[in-house]
Amino acid sequence: MSGRLTITVNDILKAKNRIHSCVHTTPVFTSSTFDESYGRKFYFKAENLQKTGSFKARGALNAVTLLKEGESPPKGVVTHSSGNHGQALAWAARMRGLQCAVVAPNNSPNVKLDAIREYGADIVICDPTPTSRQETCDRIGRERGFHFVPPYDHPDVIAGQGTLGAEFLEQIPELDAILVPTSGGGMVSGIAIAAKALKPDLKVFIVEPNGKDVEKCLRAGERLWPNPPRFLETIADGIRLQQLGHVTWPIIRELVQKDVFSVTDDEIMKGMRFAFERMKLVVEAASGAGIAAAMSERLRQMDAGLRHVGVILCGGNTDIDRLPWYPTPAHS
Amino acid sequence: MSGRLTITVNDILKAKNRIHSCVHTTPVFTSSTFDESYGRKFYFKAENLQKTGSFKARGALNAVTLLKEGESPPKGVVTHSSGNHGQALAWAARMRGLQCAVVAPNNSPNVKLDAIREYGADIVICDPTPTSRQETCDRIGRERGFHFVPPYDHPDVIAGQGTLGAEFLEQIPELDAILVPTSGGGMVSGIAIAAKALKPDLKVFIVEPNGKDVEKCLRAGERLWPNPPRFLETIADGIRLQQLGHVTWPIIRELVQKDVFSVTDDEIMKGMRFAFERMKLVVEAASGAGIAAAMSERLRQMDAGLRHVGVILCGGNTDIDRLPWYPTPAHS
């Protein structure tokens, strides 16, 4: 299946109409101190203030709305995630009057499961293996008539995330580049489709935790990651997946810059602290990765023609009792 | 000196014109979860996102601008504060091209002094007594030709803070009440002057840390506080002053509700956590006090006619290495 051929900017603009009354047009923050320190104009897109605390609300709501309005709407939706996509799908299902089940491994933190439950979804616990979670999703699909909504590898999810790119360009038409913290690649491929159609010169960059090796794959034009897929060791738990998706990969290979910003945990934490201390925004570590890329020596040495740089603060769902700069949790 | 006779809503509207291009029109946040839990519609005015991280930027900039545009502008301005007013005055002075000195006690945390220095002000260390800090301010005034700008007890400062009330009512005309965390009373008196002139039925409430005893004073119509003025023991260091000011007191006595919301440290911390976890906003404990009042049993039992309730999130200057829900600081 080629993602590129099936998703266009029109799908994204239609998704925007479909979801805009239910999601926030998130504010864009600037900091003259930051600009002076790092030598360009930066624009921080605060998706941490989005419904459910992350951009995932966009893709989930687009997918759920299309299912609900389709010819044979399912009784409910199901996914596997103990994180932002789980919360987003639970919220989207409630918005559209569908049931929702979220499959989560038996080692998920309670604080995350509680957030999903608050949106009215049913939590189904599975073993912490990819096989168990997929089997559990399949079983729920069969038994309850629920439709599986994957976290990133689906055209309707990608089109929903793409609304973020279209919205950002409406707010800041002068953007020359956007830095996008990336896990499976749903957000960055959606943003790239929107941005390249609306402003072909705009450059979309991936920000990754060290070890994801996207640059190597992009330069080779091939998926070089070892299988089975693995998680990276990083404080940015929202972007710890090593591999890009199979729908997102061809889009990314075609539309996204081959220069990739790889950031360390220390850099991520420094970025996260900047958001807390100077912007007064609670962000999760994945957002800190975007800020870290903006602070990086690699960006400093890039083309000075990239004057207006957007940074996606992708989410704010962090456990405030376990902030990474404290040696021990608040409740230990 | 009667504050009431010297400050009117016209002063506030003029202050608004004077400062509006330099301060943010701060966003107002809502939370349907919060509204469902506490049974009214709440509107959170995010002055933590204001320039310098608190509402104090408004009053300081109004006062400094009037000095600068006056008949004999001083060379600079001086105040005593290691907190939000110090940062705000340093910023305002730089905006208007005046020098600034901030007198701070020798036990001030470095993190706060650094923030003041970053705005280009000169820090002058004094002994940690009211006498020493006033003498130091007076000396700097004489020696350098600097004008003293007090943190709250001045008509121009109060008029500046009042712009917050006028702006909030423009954004949310349906407000029936506003909850205002209060220390010396500059903000609450400014808001009350604006609100009572623009919407006479609107009720302005003080939120205080336990032990401030404003309700007792308001009901007696007298200043019952012991002298010399003292600080309360509270995590909300921005509002730890026990006494209201001498300019603010008569305004407050006339315009503010006699029912006062007294909150404990535990309640303040719960409010602060709500901002971090659900609103994704970094707020200081004084803002948490406002949220705590919104959550309080006392408000729950008040007139159901107060349907639309504003809450001032007055600032976001908290030390993220010493968040109150952690047993020990991050860097100990």
Side-chain angles (χ1 to χ4, degrees), chain B residues 96-160:
Chain B
R96 296 304 186 222
L98 289 180
Q99 296 178 65
C100 180
V102 175
V103 174
N106 54 22
N107 56 0
S108 305
N110 269 325
V111 56
K112 297 205 167 186
L113 300 185
D114 286 347
I116 293 170
R117 275 191 203 101
E118 267 193 49
Y119 292 114
D122 193 14
I123 305 265
V124 182
I125 298 295
C126 68
D127 291 334
T129 67
T131 315
S132 169
R133 70 181 192 185
Q134 194 58 56
E135 281 175 5
T136 312
C137 279
D138 292 347
R139 179 169 56 74
I140 289 170
R142 272 195 322 273
E143 289 177 4
R144 307 195 196 173
F146 284 12
H147 192 95
F148 178 61
V149 179
Y152 51 87
D153 242 355
H154 190 285
D156 300 339
V157 173
I158 293 170

Side-chain angles (χ1 to χ4, degrees), chain B residues 7 21 23 146 151 191 201 223 255 313:
Chain B
I7 314 165
S21 64
V23 297
F146 284 12
I191 288 176
D201 288 344
R223 302 177 67 91
L255 300 179
L313 305 182

Side-chain angles (χ1 to χ4, degrees), chain B residues 207-211 234 236 239 260-268 285-286 288-294 296:
Chain B
V207 180
E208 62 167 30
N210 264 353
T234 169
I239 51 171
V260 168
F261 292 89
S262 261
V263 291
T264 65
D265 274 1
D266 277 355
E267 291 164 341
I268 290 171
I291 301 172
S296 70

